Amino acid sequence: MNTLQQPDRKHAPAFGTLDQVAIAEAKTIKLGNGIPLFKIDAGTQDLVKIEFIFPGAGATSQPGPLVSVGTNDMLDEGTGRFSSSELAERIDYFGAFLQMESTLDFSSACLFCLNKHLRDTLPLLEEMIKSASFPSHEFDTYLQNKKQKFLTDEAKVSTIARKKFTQLLFGDVHPYGHYLSQGDFETLDRQQLLHFHQRAYRADSCHVVVSGKMDPQLDLLIDTHFGDKTWSSMNTPSAKQPALIQSTLVKKHFVEKKDAVQSAIRIGRLLFNKMDPDFMGMQVLNTIFGGYFGSRLMSNIREDKGYTYGIGSGIVSLKQAGYFFISTEVGVSVCKDALTEIYFEMARLRNELIPEEELILVKNYLLGTFLRSADGPFSLADKFKNIYDYGLDYTYYQRYVQVVKNITSIDLQALANKYLQEGQMTELVVGLQ
Amino acid sequence: MIKFNRFTLDNGLRVIVHSDTSTQLACLNILYDVGARDEDPAQTGFAHLFEHLMFGGSVNIPSYDEPLQRVGGENNAFTSNDITNYYLTLPVNNIETGFWLESDRMLSLAFSEKSLEVQRSVVIEEFKQRYLNQPYGDVWLLLRPLAYKVHPYLWCTIGKEIKHIEDARMDDVKAFFKKHYTPSNAILVVSGNVQFGEIKQLTEKWFGTIPTTPKPVRNLPPEPVQTEYRNLSVQRDVPSDALYMAFHMCSRTEKGYHVMDLISDLLSRGNSARLYNSLVKSNQLFSEISAYLMGDLDKGMFVISGKLLEGISFQQAEDAVFHELEKLKTDLISDMELQKVKNKMESTIVFGETSVLDKSMTLALFELLGDAEGINLEVGKYMAVTRAEIQEAAQTVLRKTNCSSLFYQALKH
C-alpha cells in the first residue's frame, strides 16, 4: 500500500540565506503638547499595547535606592480620583493588563488591551500617569510585600551572583552597581516617591510607543487624554551628573553559601554599549562563545561534560556603559573544572581562527534570530525602542545585517584578543568552592 | 477565529496547517502523546530525560541543532505530566529543513551511549538547579504525593528522585521510543506564511514513509476520591512561611474545567481579585497569594498558594483562605464580577493568539483533546458559565475534606 519513495535523509535540503531584512518602521506623530508618539501598525488581532516611556525616571535618575522602582510600581495604587481597588476593579473589568517596568535607564507604564475597550481604559492610564497619589497605607503594604519578595530572591545563588557581579564592575555608588540591601527598604519613604513622580513623570520628558492593530481613532484618543500642556514640567530639571564607575581591582571573588548544591559563576568585564564601532562584531563573537544553544560554552560544559543545566554569555548595553558576562550554575564538585573549561574556551577564541563552517552557521543563525526578533507588533516595537533610546535610526539594523554577513574569522580573533583576555576578567563564585 | 486545515497520513500522523501571512516565519510543532504520567513508577523522570535525548542525533543526522541553526532556525521542547512537545521556528523559505529534522527523529534516534551519559548528568544538574538549590524548590516533590496516592500525577516530570535518572539504561530508552514515538501517537502543526498544498506534499514526502505502530493504549489507575483533609508540615531554610493547598478537580475535557478556571480568576487574577483584596490588602496575612489550575488533562489539581507575613500562623492563614472560599459557596457572585473574569479571560485568549508559535502549540493541544476546532470555541465556553455553576463547583471542589495542605515552614535562625 505504501508506494512512497524514501526521501534522501542523509543530506540536508537546500536552503537560502537572508540578503535584505525589511523591518516595518514606526510612524511618528506629535501630540498637542509635543509628546512624540510612535506607531507600529501590525498584527492580526484587534488589540493594542500602549507604552509611556519616561527616560528620566530610571534608577540612574533617582535620589536614592528603590525610589525609581517604587514610584513606578505604585502608579496603580491610587490616584486623585480612584482608590487602588477602584483602579484594579476597572482595569480587570475591561480585561486590560498593566505592566510597569523600571530599569536602570528608564521607567515605563504600559497598557495592553483589546481595541474594543480602549475608550474605557485610556482614562485610567491617564489618571495613573498624571495623578498617582501614593496613599500611605498602600505604600506600607507595598514596601512590606516587596521586602519579602526581595528576601526570597536573596536566598538564590543566582540572584546573589547577578547583583554582586554588577557591584564589582560598577562600584556600589553607581546606580548600575548598587547592591540593594534590606536596609534600603527601611530608609525609603513615601515623600520621596511623590517628589520623584512630580519631577520625572512629565509630558516634556516622555514618549509613547503604540503597537498592534490600530484603531482609526487612536491618535485622537491619546491626544485627548495626554496631549494637554497641563502636565508639562514647570521648570526643566537639571540633568543629574552621572556617577563615577569604580570597578574592583581584585580579580577573583568568592561568596560562601553554606548548603549550596550548586555554585553560581559569573565572569566578565566592563565593555561598551551599542554606540561603539566594535559592538556588533562583539555580538557575533559572543554568540559563538556563549550566545546560543550550540555555543562553545554550551557544547563543552553542558553537552560534552554535563557539568550544568545551562551556561551562557551576553553583552549588556546600557545608556552610560556596557558589560560582558558569562553565567552558569554548576554542581559544587565540578566548579573548579567548569572554571578551567570557561577560560580554555576563551583562550581558544584568541588563539585559533574560528572554522569557516562554524562561522557560517552562526551568521545564518543570527540572521534568523534577527527575523524572529522583528516578528509581530510587540517585537517591532522593541526593535524601535532599542534604537530610539540611543538616538539611532533604522539604518542601524541595515548595518548590523551587513556586519553579520561580512565579518571574518580574522576580525573575530582580533576582537577576542582585544576584549577577551583572561587578565581583563572579574571572576565571581557564589556557593561552595 | 483561527483558520486551519488538516489531514491524516496513512501511518496515523495527524497534521494541522494554519496559514498566517503576516509573518516571515514558519513554525513546526510536534506534540507526542506521552508524559510523565506514562512512566513506570520505578523509573520516573524518564519522559523528560528522553526529551533531552531527542536532541542527541537521529538515525541519519548526527546532530539535531546544528543543521537547524545553519538555516536560521531555533527550537526547544518541554515535557509535562501529560505530553511532550517539540517546536521550532525558522525563516519560511527554509521550512523543508524542519521537515527533514523532525521526520528523521520520528523515524529513529541514534541512541548514542555518550548522549545518554551526558544528558543524565545535565538532567541531574537541572534537578539540583530547579528543585533543590532554590528556595521552595521542592514544593511539588512534596505536594504531589500528598494529593495523589495512586494516579501517576503523584510524581513530578523531573522524577521522584535523582536515582531514577541515574539508573536509566539504553534498553529502556529504546523501548520508550518504540512504544511512544510513533506517527500514530503524534500531532504535527505547521503554521506561518505557508500554503496548505505545499505543506501536505512536504509532510507526505518526509513523514509518509515512517512505519506505523498502533497508538499505545493508556490505562492509568484513577485516583480514589479523597475523603479526609490531609496535612504535611516541613521545615526548610527559607525566608518566610508558605502555605500550599491542593484540591482535586475535574479533567481538562469535562465541562467543569472552565468553571474552575474562572473561579481561580475570581480568587486571584489581577489586583481586584478576592484573595489579594482580602488577604493581602485588607487583612494583612499574606505578602502574596494566588490560585491556579495545574492544567492537567486527567482529573487534576486546583492550587492555592501564598507566602505568610511575619507573625501570622499557618492556622490563621489557612482559616482565612477557607473563609474566603466559603463565601463563594454561600453567596452567588454578582453579574458584574462574573463579567469581569470573563472579559479578562477573553483578553488573555486573544493576546495568546499573537504569535505563530503560541497558536501552533494551542492547536496541537486542542487536537489532542479531541478537535483542533476547540481553539475557536474556548471563549464561548467561558462566556457560557453561569453564576450558579460557579457556586456549585465551589461547593463540590473547595471542601476541606478534598484538600491537601502543605505548611512550608521557615527555619528560625
Side-chain angles (χ1 to χ4, degrees):
Chain A
M1 149 100 203
N2 199 339
T3 54
L4 290 168
Q5 289 280 311
Q6 275 292 346
D8 176 7
R9 296 191 182 275
K10 293 283 180 199
H11 301 98
F15 67 93
T17 52
L18 297 171
D19 290 319
Q20 286 299 320
V21 178
I23 291 192
E25 299 188 7
K27 290 199 180 71
T28 312
I29 62 166
K30 279 214 160 56
L31 302 187
N33 53 9
I35 294 181
L37 169 68
F38 304 100
K39 292 167 62 180
I40 291 155
D41 194 353
T44 54
Q45 307 299 100
D46 273 313
L47 48 80
V48 69
K49 172 184 180 185
I50 299 173
E51 185 171 13
F52 277 77
I53 300 164
F54 299 90
T60 41
S61 310
Q62 69 188 354
L66 288 170
V67 174
S68 157
V69 66
T71 305
N72 194 248
D73 280 349
M74 285 199 66
L75 291 178
D76 63 351
E77 292 290 352
T79 68
R81 273 175 62 205
F82 299 117
S83 71
S84 169
S85 66
E86 285 168 337
L87 277 175
E89 201 61 54
R90 284 169 168 76
I91 286 288
D92 286 339
Y93 186 81
F94 295 112
F97 302 91
L98 291 173
Q99 185 179 294
M100 307 303 183
E101 188 188 8
S102 185
T103 73
L104 295 169
D105 290 326
F106 67 86
S107 285
S108 73
C110 188
L111 172 77
F112 296 83
C113 78
L114 299 183
N115 283 329
K116 65 179 177 185
H117 297 308
L118 190 58
R119 282 158 185 79
D120 294 307
T121 48
L122 261 186
L124 303 172
L125 186 66
E126 178 189 4
E127 272 287 303
M128 293 179 226
I129 288 178
K130 293 185 187 173
S131 345
S133 61
F134 307 93
S136 44
H137 62 286
E138 303 292 358
F139 174 78
D140 294 341
T141 310
Y142 167 77
L143 200 62
Q144 166 181 279
N145 296 343
K146 182 147 180 98
K147 187 166 117 187
Q148 201 167 60
K149 284 196 184 76
F150 160 85
L151 291 173
T152 301
D153 281 341
E154 203 68 5
K156 301 173 187 168
V157 287
S158 55
T159 304
I160 300 170
R162 180 170 45 77
K163 290 170 60 182
K164 179 80 190 165
F165 185 70
T166 43
Q167 185 193 35
L168 292 171
L169 288 192
F170 292 103
D172 203 59
V173 177
H174 197 285
Y176 290 170
H178 177 68
Y179 194 105
L180 193 68
S181 65
Q182 211 173 328
D184 293 330
F185 288 85
E186 322 297 337
T187 53
L188 188 70
D189 81 75
R190 181 184 161 257
Q191 288 302 323
Q192 290 175 297
L193 306 194
L194 272 169
H195 288 145
F196 192 66
H197 179 254
Q198 276 167 16
R199 193 184 87 201
Y201 289 76
R202 289 286 152 194
D204 43 5
S205 55
C206 108
H207 56 276
V208 192
V209 180
V210 187
S211 50
K213 203 166 156 184
M214 298 289 149
D215 183 301
Q217 298 290 308
L218 183 93
D219 300 0
L220 188 65
L221 278 169
I222 295 187
D223 196 59
T224 305
H225 291 288
F226 295 95
D228 59 291
K229 293 204 168 80
T230 56
W231 65 300
S232 297
S233 52
M234 313 305 140
N235 43 24
T236 334
S238 55
K240 201 168 175 247
Q241 279 296 316
L244 216 57
I245 292 174
Q246 289 172 301
S247 298
T248 175
L249 299 173
V250 181
K251 288 298 171 193
K252 296 195 191 252
H253 299 260
F254 173 64
V255 177
E256 186 173 53
K257 187 157 192 308
K258 289 205 175 83
D259 308 324
V261 191
Q262 288 187 317
S263 293
I265 297 174
R266 288 249 162 175
I267 295 173
R269 55 163 300 174
L270 281 181
L271 202 59
F272 34 65
N273 68 10
K274 64 174 69 175
M275 302 305 283
D276 192 278
D278 279 341
F279 184 80
M280 291 174 181
M282 280 303 287
Q283 283 181 294
V284 179
L285 183 64
N286 171 64
T287 305
I288 293 166
F289 192 21
Y292 76 123
F293 196 89
S295 72
R296 298 221 170 153
L297 290 174
M298 276 294 267
S299 302
N300 179 342
I301 292 159
R302 172 176 146 139
E303 291 297 301
D304 188 57
K305 310 281 189 318
Y307 290 162
T308 179
Y309 178 47
I311 180 164
S313 66
I315 305 173
V316 177
S317 175
L318 298 164
K319 282 291 271 277
Q320 299 171 19
Y323 62 96
F324 165 81
F325 71 97
I326 298 158
S327 155
T328 186
E329 283 154 69
V330 300
V332 289
S333 61
V334 293
C335 185
K336 278 207 170 63
D337 296 328
L339 288 169
T340 308
E341 293 301 329
I342 290 170
Y343 289 117
F344 169 80
E345 291 298 341
M346 199 183 286
R348 213 151 66 87
L349 291 173
R350 295 192 303 268
N351 302 333
E352 295 172 19
L353 280 176
I354 292 154
E356 197 58 20
E357 200 184 345
E358 184 182 1
L359 183 57
I360 290 171
L361 182 152
V362 165
K363 287 178 170 201
N364 290 341
Y365 171 75
L366 279 173
L367 294 173
T369 300
F370 184 77
L371 203 62
R372 265 186 292 281
S373 74
D375 191 56
F378 305 152
S379 303
L380 287 167
D382 289 339
K383 276 271 168 284
F384 169 75
K385 286 188 286 178
N386 288 342
I387 48 176
Y388 183 78
D389 290 349
Y390 292 83
L392 297 161
D393 62 23
Y394 279 100
T395 60
Y396 178 84
Y397 293 123
Q398 290 163 19
R399 292 202 303 280
Y400 173 75
V401 170
Q402 289 314 309
V403 166
V404 171
K405 288 178 85 83
N406 296 328
I407 199 162
T408 66
S409 293
I410 293 170
D411 299 333
L412 290 166
Q413 190 179 22
L415 287 172
N417 276 291
K418 200 165 163 188
Y419 299 116
L420 298 182
Q421 294 290 343
E422 191 170 331
Q424 297 165 337
M425 300 293 152
T426 298
E427 175 191 303
L428 168 67
V429 174
V430 180
L432 292 172
Q433 247 176 348
Chain B
M1 176 77 179
I2 308 290
K3 289 186 186 151
F4 60 90
N5 290 96
R6 65 189 143 182
F7 58 95
T8 304
L9 294 183
D10 288 345
N11 59 17
L13 178 68
R14 286 175 277 172
V15 188
I16 291 164
V17 183
H18 164 62
S19 178
D20 176 351
T21 53
S22 74
T23 175
Q24 298 166 272
L25 299 172
C27 171
L28 265 75
N29 186 85
I30 302 194
L31 181 156
Y32 288 93
D33 187 2
V34 57
R37 62 177 162 166
D38 299 305
E39 293 163 347
D40 180 340
Q43 286 186 308
T44 62
F46 205 86
H48 168 251
L49 173 65
F50 191 87
E51 173 216 311
H52 280 245
L53 298 173
M54 282 284 277
F55 296 90
S58 53
V59 58
N60 295 295
I61 310 171
S63 151
Y64 176 89
D65 289 300
E66 276 178 39
L68 183 64
Q69 287 152 357
R70 190 171 293 118
V71 303
E74 185 145 64
N75 70 90
N76 213 333
F78 65 83
T79 308
S80 73
N81 289 72
D82 295 310
I83 61 165
T84 314
N85 192 73
Y86 300 82
Y87 52 92
L88 63 87
T89 58
L90 77 186
V92 66
N93 57 324
N94 294 335
I95 193 168
E96 189 158 7
T97 304
F99 278 91
W100 172 60
L101 288 165
E102 288 300 345
S103 64
D104 203 52
R105 64 178 179 176
M106 190 184 288
L107 184 64
S108 183
L109 292 185
F111 299 115
S112 127
E113 281 288 351
K114 159 98 185 176
S115 172
L116 176 58
E117 187 193 324
V118 168
Q119 292 309 318
R120 267 196 305 248
S121 307
V122 170
V123 171
I124 289 167
E125 290 306 321
E126 182 180 357
F127 200 125
K128 291 181 197 163
Q129 183 172 327
R130 295 171 59 174
Y131 294 81
L132 305 180
N133 212 31
Q134 301 285 335
Y136 313 101
D138 63 347
V139 159
W140 300 103
L141 299 173
L142 300 164
L143 192 58
R144 283 184 174 275
L146 187 65
Y148 292 96
K149 298 300 166 195
V150 174
H151 189 282
Y153 283 166
L154 74 86
W155 58 83
C156 292
T157 52
I158 196 75
K160 285 180 190 167
E161 49 183 312
I162 285 180
K163 181 155 191 317
H164 284 190
I165 300 162
E166 287 169 342
D167 287 349
R169 293 293 165 264
M170 188 55 87
D171 285 346
D172 308 325
V173 174
K174 287 182 176 165
F176 196 85
F177 181 81
K178 201 172 158 202
K179 181 172 178 192
H180 297 290
Y181 280 74
T182 77
S184 59
N185 209 31
I187 296 163
L188 167 67
V189 179
V190 184
S191 63
N193 205 337
V194 296
Q195 304 273 334
F196 178 72
E198 180 203 8
I199 297 306
K200 190 157 192 278
Q201 184 246 318
L202 282 171
T203 311
E204 282 163 355
K205 173 179 173 185
W206 291 102
F207 287 91
T209 58
I210 300 173
T212 191
T213 50
K215 184 171 168 58
V217 179
R218 180 175 285 123
N219 200 356
L220 301 177
E223 182 65 23
V225 173
Q226 181 178 338
T227 53
E228 271 183 348
Y229 170 73
R230 295 173 190 161
N231 180 280
L232 174 70
S233 294
V234 296
Q235 295 195 322
R236 295 287 187 273
D237 187 10
V238 290
S240 44
D241 291 345
L243 169 68
Y244 297 82
M245 299 160 72
F247 299 85
H248 293 283
M249 60 168 276
C250 66
S251 72
R252 179 68 180 81
T253 44
E254 284 173 80
K255 193 169 179 285
Y257 183 89
H258 298 85
V259 182
M260 289 312 296
D261 206 4
L262 288 182
I263 289 181
S264 74
D265 288 358
L266 287 167
L267 290 174
S268 86
R269 190 80 193 267
N271 288 356
S272 74
R274 289 183 173 211
L275 293 180
Y276 181 78
N277 244 328
S278 159
L279 306 184
V280 176
K281 287 276 190 145
S282 303
N283 307 298
Q284 301 193 350
L285 301 172
F286 289 86
S287 67
E288 55 183 81
I289 187 160
S290 53
Y292 44 93
L293 276 57
M294 298 299 283
D296 304 302
L297 300 189
D298 291 337
K299 286 186 186 302
M301 271 196 281
F302 179 99
V303 181
I304 295 171
S305 65
K307 299 222 165 68
L308 279 58
L309 285 173
E310 194 74 32
I312 304 299
S313 74
F314 280 104
Q315 208 51 58
Q316 254 179 304
E318 197 193 37
D319 286 350
V321 172
F322 274 118
H323 182 67
E324 279 304 316
L325 300 181
E326 205 52 40
K327 290 186 198 162
L328 280 176
K329 300 181 205 172
T330 50
D331 311 328
L332 272 182
I333 65 164
S334 71
D335 283 321
M336 176 119 175
E337 192 178 4
L338 181 59
Q339 194 57 47
K340 178 185 79 175
V341 286
K342 287 180 177 180
N343 290 347
K344 201 94 186 190
M345 188 58 79
E346 183 192 17
S347 279
T348 307
I349 290 173
V350 178
F351 272 92
E353 291 169 353
T354 51
S355 91
V356 282
L357 180 57
D358 291 344
K359 284 188 283 190
S360 304
M361 287 188 194
T362 312
L363 280 165
L365 187 67
F366 277 106
E367 183 66 12
L368 179 73
L369 295 177
D371 185 353
E373 183 57 28
I375 196 172
N376 294 318
L377 307 175
E378 201 66 353
V379 171
K381 286 184 180 170
Y382 284 109
M383 291 302 164
V385 172
T386 66
R387 299 190 294 158
E389 284 171 326
I390 298 271
Q391 187 176 30
E392 261 176 57
Q395 286 165 355
T396 316
V397 175
L398 304 176
R399 287 174 298 113
K400 189 155 187 181
T401 52
N402 187 36
C403 176
S404 301
S405 278
L406 172 63
F407 294 175
Y408 201 100
Q409 203 178 344
L411 280 171
K412 298 275 176 272
H413 290 284

